[in-house]
Amino acid sequence: GTYTKKSNEDFNSILTGIMQPKGDVHFHFGNLLTKEDLMPYQNLSNSKFNKQVAELIDYQICRNYKLTCNNYIAHDIRSKSNRYATFYTLEEKERFKLRMQQLATFECEDRHTLMEIFLGIYANPVDAKHRY
């Protein structure tokens, strides 16, 4: 079948997400892309041009990440290491693990995948920040 979005569905989803408790949250708006930023790509095909613009946007997003203890904890749990242990306390790690356990109580056919997604949401920004 087909799906038709309701009026303001995306806006309401974002608003709902923002209004729910999140803990540490940081908003940062990057610089506007300028004509000068785009000039080196002016002779590329549309698809290559769009890819370069996406790279510029990704660069700004990742460069401006403000990583929290949860990002480092998730990265260490997922990689089975203590590489970033200086960025969090044992108490913070235990709180994070408790939240993971609570998530594991949801009805789900594939708990392992659910946990991987959960950890990835928090851990991936660590790798992305280091890439840029």
Side-chain angles (χ1 to χ4, degrees), residues 4 30 40 43-44 51-52 111 115 117:
T4 305
N43 294 323
L44 296 177
K51 184 174 177 140
Q52 291 301 318
R111 290 194 196 291
M115 290 299 110
I117 291 169

Side-chain angles (χ1 to χ4, degrees), residues 76-87:
D76 279 356
I77 291 171
R78 190 167 73 167
S79 64
K80 296 175 178 61
S81 75
N82 289 314
R83 178 178 179 188
Y84 295 106
T86 58
F87 292 95

Side-chain angles (χ1 to χ4, degrees), residues 106-121:
F106 290 121
E107 288 297 318
C108 179
E109 288 183 29
D110 187 354
R111 290 194 196 291
H112 176 74
T113 300
L114 179 64
M115 290 299 110
E116 285 300 312
I117 291 169
F118 176 78
L119 289 173
I121 287 168

